[in-house]
Amino acid sequence: MERMVQIYGCLVSLLQKCIFRVLSVGPMPNHIAFIMDGNRRYSKRCNSMEGSVHKAGFSVLKTMLKYCYEFGVRYVTVYAFSIDNFKRNSEEVESLMDLMVEKIEGVLKEESNFNRYGIRIMFSGNLELLSQPVRLAAERAMLATANNSRAVFSVCVAYSSTDEILRAVRKSCEEKWDEITAFSLGGSEQDEMDHRIILTDIEKHMYMAAAPDPDIIMRSSGETRLSNFLLWQSSHCFLYSPSALWPEIGFRHFVWGILNFQRIHFYLDKKRKQL
Amino acid sequence: MLFSLHFSPPPVIAPLPFKPLSHVPHHHHHTLNMLPSTHVLKPPLCSTMEHFTLNHHGKGGEEEEEEVDQTLPLGLRREAMPRHVAVIMDGNRRWARSRDLPVRSGYEAGARSLRTIVELCCKWGIKVLSVFAFSSDNWFRPKVEVELLMSLFERGMQEDTGIFLRENIRVSVIGDLAKLPEALQELILNLEETTKNNTHFQLIVAVSYSGQYDVVQACQRLALKAKHGLVEPGDIDASLIEQELETYCSEFPHPDLLIRTSGEFRISNFMLWQLAYTELFFAQSLWPDFGEAEFLKALLAFQQRRRRYGG
């Protein structure tokens, strides 16, 4: 029986690799972002224990990461914890934070895996809002994988797009203020124009500045909204919202997302070249 | 809950604000001063529940309720109507091409579709409609097409001024207007001035606009204020940014629902900051074919959604 399961596993893996080969003929997304929605609903449906609400979700995350990197997607971003999620009940927030520390420690132990595959881990968000254990664990993980350059895994934690934009606006005003005050004596209108803040001034201060804009944002559970995730960066990306809850997300959803991305890619590319 | 503290019930005798063609100044403008000054993405600005529940508690509420519901198609709940709907009017050119018509016909059909939706919004109690008429990216289209669009905007504004005045509709135009032909700029300013005191409904037309442009221009204005000592860069918070965004001209600056037609699943740089918790609806039909039935479908879908705002 065990032998049968092994053979079945190998066949599935072979089939997946074949499908990836076929998909690779078309354009490939460089950056996929995930909003992992539906964990609580799944847990209610399965009557799971309180503590295991997000564990099933984490296991699906690992699988999707594997698909992304095997398929050659260089940048993967996940919405792990929004600033607005701090509003949730303290038990849930605490269990999420504990899970995060647990998983980060696990990653640090298996450091060789991330280093073997050349994956750099980044934690994007207002990390000062996190408790010290989580923040320190995050900083250690970033340091341990800082030299990796084949792929990037961004975990958005204590993140919200409006907070990201606000911080970037504040920083660019501070930067320009230094410049402007240096020229304020006898400053002309032309000086004012020359020192106006432009798009790139703001963009470079975004938490997500190190990654290109996502090509696909996938939100599970059928909710079609961004919930304050990558608002700035999603201006031209493909929004995909399968109705399956996050713990139900699998290979077929991944493939379907890629196929739809490829279908519209030619049109989007033409538009981008016009800009 | 914030609205329930400051919102006064409607007067007994006056016609309902939800009735089409109402000219009775209603009380919505009072709430403008009550908008929270802190982080403005709190639920009260986006949710519809508290706002409409109070009207049912006003005097003569039962009679009003019966009368009001007759203007709504079956299935739509008055208390769950979005206050602000945004639309990306995509598909005009494809519509024309599919009928072997010139591009101009596509845009004209699109304008007719817009008039229908404005009428429905007024009838069904939606307070604000924002439409993405011309993106910053659209400047890269062929010159002939850009000129055609500019002339259509001019004509549309001239022809519909009477309707806006009659129906008590306020028109606001957002975007980098300095790039538009001068004649159109003047027309826009006059139209905004003429309709600025209208209160039944607001039509926001985004021309030469993009969400990123909006944030950049807000940032530039804040930098200028910092230069003149009006604000410290370190004190800049979400509400200060909100006040500088072009959607600050509206009582309800954040869309509750965004509809994009023609089956494209992206936002294309429309209102990024304001769409943080907006429900997105992607309609398959092309914009000139988007009529009452499709709009109803989008609103019904919106009313099924559970909005949690991260909670």
Side-chain angles (χ1 to χ4, degrees):
Chain A
M1 183 64 186
E2 223 178 87
R3 188 95 180 104
M4 294 285 283
V5 170
Q6 266 182 347
I7 293 171
Y8 178 74
C10 285
L11 282 172
V12 166
S13 180
L14 191 62
L15 183 64
Q16 285 175 352
K17 283 190 167 66
C18 286
I19 292 176
F20 281 154
R21 274 279 168 85
V22 168
L23 287 176
S24 306
V25 171
M28 283 162 31
N30 194 26
H31 182 177
I32 300 182
F34 296 98
I35 301 178
M36 306 180 285
D37 197 13
N39 294 296
R40 292 183 296 178
R41 271 167 280 172
Y42 181 80
S43 143
K44 272 198 194 104
R45 204 190 280 175
C46 302
N47 291 316
S48 336
M49 300 270 291
E50 188 64 48
S52 66
V53 165
H54 297 281
K55 283 192 174 153
F58 184 78
S59 149
V60 169
L61 171 61
K62 275 201 315 200
T63 312
M64 294 308 279
L65 277 177
K66 180 169 145 272
Y67 294 152
C68 284
Y69 295 126
E70 279 178 9
F71 188 59
V73 178
R74 270 200 82 200
Y75 295 87
V76 178
T77 302
V78 294
Y79 201 11
F81 194 86
S82 159
I83 291 178
D84 296 306
N85 293 155
F86 281 114
K87 287 191 290 210
R88 292 185 181 183
N89 74 64
S90 51
E91 266 170 38
E92 188 187 338
V93 174
E94 224 175 277
S95 99
L96 269 165
M97 292 296 143
D98 290 342
L99 179 69
M100 243 186 285
V101 173
E102 184 194 314
K103 295 306 171 189
I104 296 172
E105 300 289 349
V107 160
L108 286 168
K109 284 197 188 105
E110 291 174 48
E111 185 191 300
S112 54
N113 269 339
F114 273 85
N115 287 335
R116 195 192 316 152
Y117 295 120
I119 301 173
R120 183 178 171 190
I121 301 177
M122 307 265 295
F123 286 89
S124 304
N126 197 346
L127 303 185
E128 281 153 39
L129 296 176
L130 297 170
S131 63
Q132 207 184 42
V134 189
R135 195 174 60 248
L136 289 176
E139 281 164 8
R140 283 206 321 273
M142 286 197 276
L143 202 60
T145 57
N147 293 324
N148 298 338
S149 57
R150 206 185 290 160
V152 178
F153 175 44
S154 300
V155 183
C156 289
V157 63
Y159 173 94
S160 82
S161 220
T162 44
D163 181 67
E164 181 184 38
I165 294 171
L166 165 61
R167 183 179 168 276
V169 163
R170 219 185 257 152
K171 281 201 173 281
S172 19
C173 283
E174 279 168 358
E175 209 175 59
K176 283 289 169 175
W177 195 57
D178 293 338
E179 254 183 63
I180 287 166
T181 47
F183 281 93
S184 63
L185 294 167
S188 64
E189 238 186 74
Q190 186 56 47
D191 281 337
E192 218 168 83
M193 285 302 290
D194 290 342
H195 294 282
R196 279 180 95 185
I197 291 172
I198 57 176
L199 192 120
T200 42
D201 293 328
I202 299 177
E203 266 188 338
K204 71 184 185 211
H205 291 297
M206 298 274 176
Y207 294 129
M208 292 294 298
D213 289 348
D215 297 294
I216 305 174
I217 294 183
M218 174 166 138
R219 179 178 189 141
S220 54
S221 87
E223 306 284 9
T224 322
R225 53 179 181 260
L226 287 167
S227 292
N228 221 334
F229 182 55
L230 300 183
L231 298 172
W232 181 272
Q233 298 84 349
S234 65
S235 54
H236 294 285
C237 98
F238 168 50
L239 306 172
Y240 170 48
S241 52
S243 54
L245 303 174
W246 179 253
E248 296 166 337
I249 290 288
F251 185 69
R252 68 187 190 284
H253 304 103
F254 180 76
V255 168
W256 191 243
I258 303 285
L259 280 171
N260 277 295
F261 162 78
Q262 292 182 333
R263 189 174 56 80
I264 59 168
H265 180 264
F266 177 68
Y267 177 68
L268 278 181
D269 210 30
K270 195 172 86 169
K271 294 212 92 177
R272 266 197 213 111
K273 287 194 171 99
Q274 279 176 350
L275 295 177
Chain B
M1 284 317 287
L2 200 61
F3 278 134
S4 67
L5 296 172
H6 301 284
F7 201 80
S8 53
V12 176
I13 299 159
L16 296 164
F18 309 124
K19 256 189 176 171
L21 317 179
S22 166
H23 291 268
V24 175
H26 53 76
H27 39 265
H28 287 291
H29 65 274
H30 290 314
T31 62
L32 190 58
N33 299 324
M34 310 302 182
L35 283 173
S37 58
T38 50
H39 183 53
V40 292
L41 288 172
K42 284 181 189 155
L45 272 178
C46 297
S47 80
T48 57
M49 292 300 297
E50 294 85 358
H51 176 79
F52 287 96
T53 310
L54 266 155
N55 287 317
H56 294 299
H57 294 160
K59 282 186 191 172
E62 276 176 31
E63 285 167 20
E64 289 173 357
E65 194 173 336
E66 270 174 35
E67 209 176 331
V68 156
D69 284 342
Q70 274 166 18
T71 65
L72 275 187
L74 203 63
L76 274 186
R77 290 172 289 131
R78 176 66 65 183
E79 72 277 8
M81 288 298 279
R83 283 184 306 199
H84 180 169
V85 173
V87 182
I88 301 177
M89 306 181 292
D90 198 12
N92 299 303
R93 293 184 298 175
R94 263 170 284 175
W95 184 91
R97 272 200 299 269
S98 70
R99 285 163 172 72
D100 283 328
L101 291 169
V103 163
R104 184 186 190 96
S105 306
Y107 288 126
E108 283 169 352
R112 286 193 291 275
S113 208
L114 175 58
R115 286 193 191 96
T116 306
I117 298 303
V118 168
E119 216 178 279
L120 290 170
C121 286
C122 289
K123 200 164 117 184
W124 292 347
I126 293 164
K127 301 306 300 173
V128 184
L129 176 73
S130 297
V131 294
F132 203 10
F134 192 87
S135 155
S136 308
D137 301 339
N138 291 155
W139 286 113
F140 296 97
R141 287 197 179 169
K143 193 159 173 241
V144 168
E145 194 179 322
V146 170
E147 280 169 6
L148 165 67
L149 278 164
M150 293 298 134
S151 74
L152 284 172
F153 291 146
E154 261 189 63
R155 202 179 84 186
M157 285 188 186
Q158 279 163 342
E159 285 176 1
D160 292 345
T161 304
I163 300 174
F164 296 138
L165 290 172
R166 211 172 48 241
E167 305 299 329
N168 197 10
I169 294 172
R170 179 182 168 196
V171 178
S172 305
V173 180
I174 60 174
D176 189 1
L177 305 186
K179 288 186 170 169
L180 301 177
E182 273 190 36
L184 182 55
Q185 286 185 46
E186 213 179 292
L187 204 59
I188 288 169
L189 283 171
N190 286 337
L191 187 59
E192 285 184 319
E193 184 61 33
T194 313
T195 59
K196 72 178 184 205
N197 294 319
N198 294 348
T199 52
H200 178 57
F201 175 77
Q202 184 180 24
L203 174 66
I204 298 177
V205 187
V207 181
S208 182
Y209 177 90
S210 81
Q212 288 182 346
Y213 149 81
D214 206 357
V215 171
V216 171
Q217 70 83 30
C219 185
Q220 286 168 347
R221 282 145 74 97
L222 284 169
L224 207 58
K225 283 190 169 171
K227 182 189 171 188
H228 294 294
L230 297 167
V231 69
E232 294 288 318
D235 291 339
I236 292 172
D237 62 9
S239 72
L240 282 182
I241 293 181
E242 282 282 342
Q243 284 171 34
E244 302 301 339
L245 289 173
E246 300 211 352
T247 43
Y248 198 61
C249 62
S250 177
E251 197 180 349
F252 309 110
H254 298 164
D256 296 297
L257 171 65
L258 169 78
I259 300 171
R260 184 186 181 132
T261 52
S262 86
E264 302 289 349
F265 294 87
R266 58 185 185 277
I267 291 170
S268 296
N269 215 344
F270 186 39
M271 283 199 192
L272 303 175
W273 172 284
Q274 298 87 334
L275 295 181
Y277 287 100
T278 304
E279 296 291 333
L280 310 174
F281 183 86
F282 298 104
Q284 287 301 310
S285 47
L286 304 173
W287 176 245
D289 294 328
F290 188 85
E292 186 170 338
E294 294 277 344
F295 194 33
L296 181 58
K297 214 160 102 178
L299 291 171
L300 285 167
F302 169 80
Q303 295 196 342
Q304 305 297 325
R305 307 257 179 113
R306 286 173 53 235
R307 306 181 77 186
R308 299 187 301 266
Y309 304 98

